[in-house]
């Protein structure tokens, strides 16, 4: 009959094992941005100023079958004159790997303020549109999009 | 890599003061750096990270893109025509490579 002897573990061996365990934790799957991250990002962009959403109209699907290409369109009621125009529009998503989707920089030469693009959504989530006006104020609007098939590949 | 091809739709003529719509599309995979290929290997990030539209040398509109923008980035936006001239559209890829397209418009 074979006998197994349980050897006491040296300190060095113990540390090596602990180190390996630590590494395993460090490479846990990449976390998705949460609503808190988006709230923090919005605060960073706007300096915490509360937005007025009456001027922004969003056009997004309520249900997106394919998260790889979700239409996002916004229309902002602005005269787009040299002293009153929309400087920038930020699109943020609170369930994607990173909150930022795209930032549009506008100029009065456009004469109107709207734009359309397509974005990826990894799961059902809220999409925020933040408008920065030339007078330093901000407006925001948000919409929830239900996503049937996520669009983050893999 | 599939061929990257920019396309733009701008009216050829317009009246002074007319609001026109510009449509742009560039065929590009927008690799987010998160998806894997058929062999399970991570495809490195390669996206169009910025776009700008200029009219007669002045930037009228630009966009900063993140990996969350869909493949084949597509934009529509308005422009008010004041004079004849040339639109220049530039897409910048990760690594600094630029793709360009120009369109002329005449008034009257």
């Amino acid at each position: 009959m074979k006998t197994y002897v349980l050897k006491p573990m040296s300190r060095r061996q113990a540390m090596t094992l602990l180190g390996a365990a630590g590494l395993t934790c460090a490479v846990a799957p990449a976390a998705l941005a949460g609503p808190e991250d988006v709230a923090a990002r919005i605060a960073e962009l706007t300096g915490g100023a509360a937005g007025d959403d009456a001027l922004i109209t969003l056009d997004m699907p309520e249900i997106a079958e394919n998260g790889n290409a979700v239409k996002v369109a916004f229309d902002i009621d602005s005269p787009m004159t040299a002293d009153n125009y929309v400087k920038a529009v930020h699109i943020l998503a609170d369930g994607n790997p990173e909150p930022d989707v795209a930032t549009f920089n506008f100029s009065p030469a456009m004469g109107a303020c709207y734009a359309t693009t397509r974005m990826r959504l990894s799961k059902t989530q809220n999409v925020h549109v933040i408008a920065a006006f030339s007078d330093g104020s901000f407006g925001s609007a948000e919409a929830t999009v239900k996503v049937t098939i996520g669009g983050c590949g893999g | 890599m599939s061929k990257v091809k920019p396309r733009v739709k701008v009216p050829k003529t317009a009246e002074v003061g007319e609001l026109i719509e510009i449509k742009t599309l560039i065929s590009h995979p927008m690799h987010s750096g998160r998806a894997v290929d058929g062999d399970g290997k991570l495809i490195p990030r390669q996206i169009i990270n910025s776009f700008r539209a200029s009219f007669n040398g002045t930037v009228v509109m630009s966009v900063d893109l993140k990996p969350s923008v869909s493949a084949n980035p597509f934009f529509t936006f308005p422009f008010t025509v004041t004079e004849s001239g040339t639109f220049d559209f530039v897409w910048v890829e990760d690594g600094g490579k630029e793709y360009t397209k120009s369109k002329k418009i005449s008034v009257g």
Side-chain angles (χ1 to χ4, degrees), chain A residues 62-93:
Chain A
E62 272 178 42
I63 297 174
E65 280 178 18
N66 181 359
N68 270 315
V70 181
K71 177 193 175 189
V72 48
F74 56 86
D75 192 339
I76 300 171
D77 189 6
S78 165
M80 295 302 273
T81 56
D83 49 355
N84 182 5
Y85 66 100
V86 179
K87 279 198 302 190
V89 174
H90 306 272
I91 301 175
L92 306 159

Side-chain angles (χ1 to χ4, degrees), chain A residues 35-59:
Chain A
E36 318 78 47
D37 297 298
V38 169
R41 184 80 182 107
I42 292 172
E44 190 186 323
L45 289 170
T46 63
D52 166 25
D53 57 339
L55 299 172
I56 307 174
T57 312
L58 290 186
D59 180 9

Side-chain angles (χ1 to χ4, degrees), chain A residues 86-145:
Chain A
V86 179
K87 279 198 302 190
V89 174
H90 306 272
I91 301 175
L92 306 159
D94 68 7
N96 273 3
E98 60 175 298
D100 287 84
V101 176
T103 299
F104 290 78
N105 303 297
F106 292 144
S107 72
M110 293 169 69
C113 184
Y114 72 85
T116 308
T117 188
R118 294 184 200 127
M119 66 184 167
R120 291 173 172 147
L121 293 177
S122 64
K123 59 170 187 172
T124 297
Q125 57 185 293
N126 297 315
V127 176
H128 300 256
V129 173
I130 312 292
F133 297 101
S134 57
D135 64 359
S137 65
F138 293 91
S140 72
E142 69 169 280
T144 304
V145 182

